[in-house]
Amino acid sequence: MQAKKRYLTLLSAATCLALLLYLGGVQLRAARAPPPAGRHGAAPRPGSEQRPWPRFPDALRSFGEPEGAGGGGGAGRVSPRQRRDGSAGLYRGRRCRMESCFDFALCQKNGFKVYVYPQQKGEKIAESYQNVLAAIEGSRFYTSDPSQACLFVLSLDTLDRDQLSPQYVHNLRSKVQSLHLWNNGRNHLIFNLYSGTWPDYTEDVGFDIGQAMLAKASISTENFRPNFDVSIPLFSKDHPRTGGEKGFLRFNTIPPLRKYMLVFKGKRYLTGIGSDTRNALYHVHNGEDVVLLTTCKHGKDWQKHKDSRCDKDNTEYEKYDYREMLHNATFCLVPRGRRLGSFRFLEALQAACVPVMLSNGWELPFSEVIDWKQAAVIGDERLLLQIIQDRIFKHISRNSLIWNKHPGGLFVLPQYSSYLGDFPYYYANLGLKPLPTFTAVIHAVTPLVSQSQPVLKLLVAVAKSQYCAKIIVLWNCDKPLPAKHRWPATSVPVIVIEGESKVMSSRFLPYDNIGTDAVLSLDEDTVLSTTEVDFAFTVWQSFPERIVGYPARSHFWDNTKERWGYTSKWTNDYSMVLTGAAIYHKYYHYLYTHYLPASLKNMVDQLANCEDILMNFLVSAVTKLPPIKVTQKKQYKETMMGQTSRASRWADPDHFAQRQSCMNTFASWFGYMPLIHSQMRLDPVLFKDQVSILRKKYRDIERL
């Protein structure tokens, strides 16, 4: 009955929409044919799955305008010719493409580096644009040296180019032209959220951008320059710079079954641009599972333009809570407003509500790399610079599978490999398994003075593992390398490497000597048996994208101090597995080295601490999963060595406080807390079972 009810509701909605088309109230543009290869860098996928819900045309737009922009209106519909004329001054370089208006030579020497102009004295910058600039300056792409830059970003605030806005920057044309590095905009990137003003809201930003690229919200397909501009989503001033609230997709049901089938709540414009679509929504509203609410009550003079429906609409509008509707709807309507873009677009995605666009001509955000027809994508502004980088270095650009499959294009660096089988996230898709051996990396920081030292016992135990292919000893000790005869004879190669700059981060460098997929990371004082090593590796083979190991730690939120805390107490859950005895994929060495900013790695190196926490932050941020703890024979412990040794950090009273500070610094950079708690521990089959010890494969783990 429920399915029948939904079918009848969809049928009635379709009938209403057909009526609206006849009356001219809503003009729905037919979906475009799939673009030819090269339009957005990819050809249509053969055999793509047909979804049993509405298909979204490439050219659909969203509704939404900055709150408070232009209340009423008396303007009529603006023709395409008028729109072209209004934006003619903006797009003097409308034929620009990367090949014709971008100097690739600037990127060859130093790679993809971005320079932000210093702020000019007396110039005001809105908080939203400050966040944009801060995000760039905090990224690994940033450089303070313009001679090293591949891309240039203005410090002049170009986000709001509505002349009626208090954020509007005057005389921008002359200010931009006076910049000594402007060069007619070549290799420049300009950000813009709002352009034009009442009544026609053209896309004119008020100055000649020359050969600069535009990162623009609400950009039309007519003015969008393919493979040159970047369409970005419209975001509010309260949008977090990084991270943000978690999404609301709780179950793997697409589309999710919820209380409402289709919802919308927003402004209704009585005249002018954006009025037709929203004025017609009441035809489809049924107050049950299709709830489409509008209000005339906005702007200073709304009562002058109110019609016979306004009072009834306003009353109905106040009955429903917007967030409750959003989080309990399967589909969220995203009609255009005064401009093409809308805050509702991001809000719908965050709520795991499938957006239904009614905004013909909008170039959807990041359309060059995101397949919006799948309608299950959450956006991140850190995508922008990645897209431009892919255009410049096409030989290492990401393909559509990377962008549209977990973990997405942000965490899959094509410089590492062009073969998807080299990344741990695609084994299942490709029907692959990781290599059946591992490389052990032992981090040594104390001199080799005795043949009974823990590091030598550890080396022998690891070498006996049937899965060990090679052992690398990373010598981060201040003393010279020991002679070869000081190391025990083993059946596998042992390579001793001098640590780069003797810093903590060097243990996670992507060494060429690591030829296996798996890395067994070990501290020199770790106490593990061969059986424990074997069992941990067999577990990791089933979870190659995660950290698998022994010493577990946890995080918590301290309400009294209003900050994150770190604990080593034995509790019923954990969120970290320390890299003093853990196995993970070697790609994380590359990601740690090339993805994380220098500021975090420098902090780790200066403290000689927290590198294990940072690696856990990184892997959890990528996988959205906790690490996996396995059973061991002995409780993991950090051997207390001499206070004069660099290894005495575990006995240092400042060590724990430093780790507390690291937690909060790392969470601040990621924009949220990526660590996830888990109560799962994996034991061998037959572990502690009442059967003969001879029948157990990992019998040594049970022995004291």
Side-chain angles (χ1 to χ4, degrees):
M1 291 296 294
Q2 187 71 14
K4 183 177 180 181
K5 179 181 177 182
R6 290 185 176 275
Y7 174 80
L8 292 175
T9 304
L10 283 171
L11 182 61
S12 63
T15 304
C16 291
L17 287 174
L19 177 62
L20 294 177
L21 282 168
Y22 176 78
L23 295 175
V26 177
Q27 299 182 3
L28 291 174
R29 175 178 173 181
R32 295 185 304 193
R39 168 64 177 87
H40 288 301
R45 292 188 184 90
S48 59
E49 180 183 354
Q50 296 297 317
R51 300 286 185 176
W53 59 84
R55 296 177 60 191
F56 308 131
D58 283 355
L60 293 182
R61 312 168 185 164
S62 109
F63 64 176
E65 65 296 327
E67 296 295 330
R77 184 186 299 277
V78 178
S79 69
R81 180 185 296 275
Q82 289 173 310
R83 284 198 297 270
R84 284 194 298 269
D85 293 341
S87 60
L90 167 62
Y91 296 100
R92 298 185 191 279
R94 63 185 308 114
R95 298 197 179 194
C96 271
R97 299 296 184 267
M98 294 298 290
E99 297 77 14
S100 59
C101 295
F102 193 93
D103 186 359
F104 288 82
L106 296 180
C107 311
Q108 300 305 318
K109 182 177 180 181
N110 298 303
F112 185 68
K113 295 294 183 181
V114 183
Y115 173 76
V116 177
Y117 283 83
Q119 184 176 353
Q120 298 182 16
K121 186 176 182 181
E123 288 293 337
K124 60 181 181 180
I125 301 180
E127 182 180 358
S128 295
Y129 197 52
Q130 289 178 354
N131 288 338
V132 171
L133 298 183
I136 296 174
E137 292 172 347
S139 74
R140 66 184 187 277
F141 303 105
Y142 174 73
T143 179
S144 58
D145 185 358
S147 65
Q148 296 184 0
C150 167
L151 188 69
F152 300 82
V153 175
L154 304 180
S155 63
L156 296 166
D157 192 344
T158 57
L159 279 190
D160 194 342
R161 300 304 296 153
D162 185 339
Q163 295 180 22
L164 299 180
S165 170
Q167 307 296 338
Y168 181 81
V169 177
H170 295 273
N171 304 318
L172 195 56
R173 186 191 309 268
S174 59
K175 293 175 181 177
V176 169
Q177 294 296 331
S178 65
L179 298 174
H180 69 285
L181 297 173
W182 175 244
N183 191 25
N184 194 32
R186 201 169 182 84
N187 288 56
H188 280 67
L189 177 64
I190 294 173
F191 291 86
N192 178 251
L193 293 182
Y194 312 114
S195 60
T197 190
W198 187 88
D200 50 8
Y201 296 94
T202 67
E203 295 183 37
D204 187 5
V205 296
F207 67 99
D208 182 11
I209 65 171
Q211 297 180 348
M213 292 179 287
L214 266 179
K216 181 173 172 56
S218 305
I219 191 169
S220 65
T221 55
E222 186 177 25
N223 289 320
F224 181 78
R225 295 169 294 181
N227 298 313
F228 191 73
D229 293 332
V230 179
S231 176
I232 62 176
L234 183 65
F235 57 89
S236 68
K237 64 180 180 180
D238 298 322
H239 188 78
R241 179 158 59 93
T242 56
E245 192 176 1
K246 291 183 177 180
F248 282 79
L249 185 60
R250 301 302 188 192
F251 305 100
N252 190 23
T253 55
I254 305 295
L257 302 177
R258 296 179 174 179
K259 178 180 179 181
Y260 303 107
M261 183 184 72
L262 180 67
V263 300
F264 170 75
K265 188 177 183 182
K267 298 176 182 178
R268 177 162 72 89
Y269 305 104
L270 303 177
T271 58
I273 292 178
S275 60
D276 289 348
T277 302
R278 295 194 181 196
N279 275 336
L281 294 181
Y282 77 98
H283 288 287
V284 187
H285 169 76
N286 64 16
E288 295 179 3
D289 59 347
V290 178
V291 180
L292 307 178
L293 308 170
T294 59
T295 179
C296 312
K297 199 173 181 179
H298 56 87
K300 297 179 180 179
D301 55 350
W302 69 273
Q303 291 185 335
K304 295 180 181 179
H305 305 283
K306 65 183 295 188
D307 59 16
S308 59
R309 284 189 12 241
C310 278
D311 290 336
K312 181 180 178 181
D313 286 355
N314 292 343
T315 301
E316 189 79 357
Y317 185 90
E318 298 296 332
K319 291 181 180 179
Y320 293 82
D321 178 75
Y322 174 64
R323 289 182 61 85
E324 190 274 335
M325 289 172 55
L326 199 66
H327 295 151
N328 289 281
T330 302
F331 298 95
C332 288
L333 196 65
V334 186
R336 67 155 298 154
R338 294 302 195 194
R339 297 180 176 88
L340 300 179
S342 168
F343 297 140
R344 302 299 192 274
F345 183 65
L346 284 183
E347 292 168 353
L349 291 176
Q350 196 271 340
C353 184
V354 181
V356 179
M357 314 327 196
L358 294 179
S359 183
N360 300 338
W362 181 23
E363 185 73 22
L364 294 181
F366 307 121
S367 57
E368 182 177 343
V369 295
I370 295 180
D371 182 7
W372 287 109
K373 292 179 182 178
Q374 296 190 32
V377 180
I378 297 176
D380 188 330
E381 64 265 29
R382 293 180 290 181
L383 291 172
L384 173 63
L385 297 178
Q386 299 279 1
I387 295 171
I388 299 174
Q389 183 189 34
D390 279 4
R391 293 176 182 169
I392 297 169
F393 303 105
K394 291 185 177 180
H395 63 289
I396 54 171
S397 62
R398 303 158 181 80
N399 61 33
S400 60
L401 175 63
I402 292 176
W403 282 108
N404 292 283
K405 291 289 185 182
H406 183 78
L410 285 175
F411 295 112
V412 178
L413 304 184
Q415 297 90 338
Y416 175 74
S417 176
S418 59
Y419 175 52
L420 294 184
D422 288 335
F423 298 91
Y425 322 112
Y426 306 112
Y427 288 150
N429 296 87
L430 300 175
L432 301 176
K433 293 182 179 180
L435 295 175
T437 55
F438 66 81
T439 300
V441 179
I442 302 176
H443 187 227
V445 296
T446 56
L448 198 59
V449 296
S450 169
Q451 292 302 113
S452 62
Q453 283 184 220
V455 64
L456 299 181
K457 296 179 180 179
L458 176 64
L459 193 150
V460 172
V462 172
K464 290 180 179 179
S465 170
Q466 59 182 311
Y467 305 111
C468 183
K470 184 186 303 180
I471 297 176
I472 296 174
V473 177
L474 179 62
W475 191 255
N476 265 351
C477 179
D478 294 331
K479 302 297 182 180
L481 287 173
K484 289 184 178 181
H485 71 272
R486 300 291 303 277
W487 301 101
T490 61
S491 59
V492 298
V494 176
I495 302 173
V496 183
I497 299 176
E498 190 88 25
E500 183 177 309
S501 304
K502 307 291 186 180
V503 294
M504 295 301 295
S505 292
S506 64
R507 72 183 302 176
F508 296 138
L509 287 174
Y511 295 105
D512 293 335
N513 291 311
I514 301 176
T516 58
D517 292 329
V519 175
L520 171 60
S521 177
L522 298 165
D523 285 343
E524 62 178 7
D525 52 350
T526 299
V527 179
L528 284 179
S529 67
T530 303
T531 302
E532 289 168 314
V533 171
D534 286 348
F535 175 63
F537 179 69
T538 57
V539 170
W540 177 86
Q541 287 180 302
S542 298
F543 304 94
E545 76 281 9
R546 301 208 223 177
I547 297 177
V548 175
Y550 291 101
R553 299 290 185 267
S554 188
H555 74 285
F556 64 93
W557 177 255
D558 190 331
N559 286 317
T560 58
K561 298 180 180 179
E562 294 187 345
R563 64 198 305 263
W564 293 106
Y566 170 89
T567 179
S568 58
K569 293 181 179 179
W570 287 62
T571 61
N572 288 315
D573 59 21
Y574 63 93
S575 58
M576 291 172 279
V577 168
L578 303 188
T579 55
I583 302 177
Y584 48 79
H585 198 280
K586 70 174 180 179
Y587 173 61
Y588 292 124
H589 275 214
Y590 189 89
L591 202 61
Y592 183 100
T593 302
H594 295 284
Y595 176 80
L596 294 175
S599 59
L600 297 187
K601 291 180 287 188
N602 289 341
M603 178 183 183
V604 165
D605 295 338
Q606 290 170 6
L607 295 175
N609 195 354
C610 304
E611 80 289 349
D612 46 1
I613 297 178
L614 184 55
M615 178 61 86
N616 274 268
F617 265 70
L618 177 62
V619 176
S620 291
V622 174
T623 62
K624 304 296 186 293
L625 295 168
I628 294 177
K629 176 176 173 54
V630 290
T631 299
Q632 64 190 130
K633 179 178 66 174
K634 298 181 177 68
Q635 176 179 335
Y636 180 85
K637 62 181 180 179
E638 296 85 7
T639 304
M640 296 299 185
M641 297 193 178
Q643 293 296 318
T644 58
S645 168
R646 288 184 58 190
S648 63
R649 59 185 181 132
W650 297 105
D652 187 348
D654 293 332
H655 176 78
F656 192 81
Q658 290 173 351
R659 293 173 80 79
Q660 300 270 15
S661 178
C662 288
M663 294 278 294
N664 290 275
T665 301
F666 299 162
S668 176
W669 185 83
F670 279 91
Y672 70 109
M673 172 51 74
L675 298 179
I676 301 171
H677 284 101
S678 175
Q679 297 182 1
M680 179 179 72
R681 187 187 73 183
L682 295 187
D683 302 337
V685 178
L686 300 181
F687 180 74
K688 298 292 186 180
D689 285 352
Q690 299 301 314
V691 297
S692 170
I693 195 71
L694 298 177
R695 295 175 58 188
K696 299 182 180 183
K697 183 175 181 180
Y698 302 103
R699 60 182 71 100
D700 289 344
I701 294 180
E702 295 191 27
R703 295 172 178 166
L704 297 177

